[in-house]
Amino acid sequence: DAGVIQSPRHEVTEMGQEVTLRCKPISGHNSLFWYRQTMMRGLELLIYFNNNVPIDDSGMPEDRFSAKMPNASFSTLKIQPSEPRDSAVYFCASRSWGSYEQYFGPGTRLTVT
Amino acid sequence: TQLLEQSPQFLSIQEGENLTVYCNSSSVFSSLQWYRQEPGEGPVLLVTVVTGGEVKKLKRLTFQFGDARKDSSLHITAAQPGDTGLYLCATDTGGGNKLTFGTGTQLKVEL
């Protein structure tokens, strides 16, 4: 199994630009999660989906952030417009229904200048 | 206020030493997980504890869930450089889906 796949691994962009992060969960997993990790705030849940449906987006910081899951094998997290304070490592994770364990991808390191 | 407070925040030790890191809260949890995160990678689940007083062992790592299910500890015996990483505790705060992570303990084991 390839595990959770994220792309790109690194993204450097200028303030005001649109950024799209991509995630392919583990095949057969029903739940998908987007997290953000910073030194100041640690690892925070942004949004999660069950069976491609967004369930809880209370962690999404602002309207500039949006996430979609058009099918069971793909999800995107978009930031438009990006700001320097969005700089962080963004992780995607997936989980099989009924399991405690979340499997994390390698993350996307985003730098907004 | 953080739901899960971990201590110490940083720990640097020599190979072969023993160590214990802690995860504390004022809330009662139905379960608690421990993850390890290595540089440039996502967290990886080490163990889940669900019963008050439960002790689980994973090679040189011993995990304990407090009797009142408000705290947990991770003890590493004879630490090795490969144990270096960020150790995170986490608990479900949303009916089986919403993990809240602790503040983390950054461990460095030197030769």
Side-chain angles (χ1 to χ4, degrees):
Chain A
D1 197 333
V4 175
I5 299 172
Q6 291 188 246
S7 66
R9 291 295 310 273
H10 302 273
E11 176 81 38
V12 180
T13 191
E14 292 183 348
M15 181 174 62
Q17 296 298 306
E18 178 180 295
V19 175
T20 299
L21 311 181
R22 297 172 175 80
C23 175
K24 177 178 169 55
I26 292 173
S27 177
H29 282 192
N30 309 92
S31 300
L32 183 141
F33 308 82
W34 282 101
Y35 291 88
R36 180 172 67 177
Q37 187 174 40
T38 61
M39 288 292 293
M40 291 297 295
R41 299 178 66 87
L43 193 59
E44 301 174 289
L45 178 66
L46 300 177
I47 184 172
Y48 75 88
F49 297 81
N50 281 348
N51 296 317
N52 313 339
V53 176
I55 303 300
D56 186 340
D57 65 354
S58 60
M60 296 285 260
E62 298 173 33
D63 292 344
R64 299 183 295 106
F65 286 69
S66 62
K68 294 182 179 180
M69 192 166 184
N71 57 63
S73 59
F74 184 65
S75 177
T76 58
L77 178 66
K78 185 177 293 186
I79 308 172
Q80 167 61 24
S82 59
E83 296 183 2
R85 59 189 168 133
D86 302 330
S87 297
V89 181
Y90 290 82
F91 288 101
C92 175
S94 68
R95 186 185 73 116
S96 177
W97 191 258
S99 169
Y100 283 115
E101 184 169 5
Q102 293 188 17
Y103 292 80
F104 283 76
T108 295
R109 180 173 294 277
L110 173 65
T111 303
V112 183
T113 61
Chain B
T1 320
Q2 288 281 353
L3 178 64
L4 293 170
E5 293 283 349
Q6 291 188 241
S7 61
Q9 188 176 0
F10 299 98
L11 189 56
S12 181
I13 63 171
Q14 298 294 311
E15 182 180 18
E17 292 184 18
N18 301 331
L19 67 114
T20 302
V21 299
Y22 301 92
C23 175
N24 295 296
S25 176
S26 57
S27 301
V28 176
F29 302 120
S30 58
S31 66
L32 195 129
Q33 299 181 345
W34 282 95
Y35 287 78
R36 179 169 65 208
Q37 183 179 13
E38 298 185 13
E41 299 182 10
V44 175
L45 181 66
L46 297 173
V47 77
T48 301
V49 286
V50 297
T51 305
E54 181 177 5
V55 177
K56 282 192 173 180
K57 292 192 174 184
L58 185 65
K59 296 183 181 179
R60 294 175 294 99
L61 278 60
T62 302
F63 304 85
Q64 185 162 6
F65 202 13
D67 291 340
R69 290 185 287 122
K70 292 183 177 182
D71 56 86
S72 182
S73 63
L74 159 58
H75 182 79
I76 301 178
T77 303
Q80 299 177 2
D83 296 327
T84 293
L86 178 66
Y87 288 81
L88 295 159
C89 62
T91 191
D92 173 25
T93 54
N97 276 302
K98 195 168 180 176
L99 277 183
T100 297
F101 283 84
T103 50
T105 293
Q106 184 66 56
L107 171 66
K108 184 176 183 180
V109 182
E110 298 181 288
L111 291 170

